[in-house]
Amino acid sequence: QGEGGPSFIRLGKRDFNAIGRFIVERKNDINRRLRNSNSHSALIAQTQMQLALAEREAQRLVAHEVANNPPKALMAVIAPDAVGGWIGP
């Protein structure tokens, strides 16, 4: 975008695989910490907040990617003058 606007990075299959591995690694780490921790509720609350933030960021990235590079299957259903094969009046 223009000056001062957000800049986005296009993510590929490798990037999403790395993100998935990170999330699984983090989950395993949290499970280990829960087994060895007395403050379960504080750790759970902290983890839930981190997860909510990560989910929000993931939703934003997916929405941005779809807006800038719509999947071909979606474009086959939604065209500028037709939706699902129906052409308006």
Side-chain angles (χ1 to χ4, degrees):
Q1 291 200 353
E3 289 182 31
S7 61
F8 296 98
I9 299 171
R10 178 169 244 121
L11 299 176
K13 186 176 180 179
R14 278 185 176 172
D15 300 310
F16 287 112
N17 285 336
I19 292 168
R21 283 192 302 275
F22 171 78
I23 291 171
V24 169
E25 217 175 274
R26 184 73 180 120
K27 179 195 76 137
N28 292 338
D29 178 50
I30 290 168
N31 285 336
R32 277 191 299 277
R33 289 172 59 190
L34 281 174
R35 284 192 297 270
N36 300 325
S37 173
N38 292 329
S39 60
H40 296 295
S41 60
L43 182 58
I44 290 170
Q46 176 188 8
T47 303
Q48 286 174 330
M49 179 60 80
Q50 290 174 341
L51 180 59
L53 293 172
E55 287 175 342
R56 201 171 317 144
E57 179 65 9
Q59 289 172 343
R60 187 187 66 77
L61 287 171
V62 168
H64 174 75
E65 183 65 25
V66 169
N68 286 333
N69 187 21
K72 290 180 182 177
L74 178 62
M75 296 312 294
V77 176
I78 302 171
D81 59 348
V83 176
W86 177 79
I87 297 177

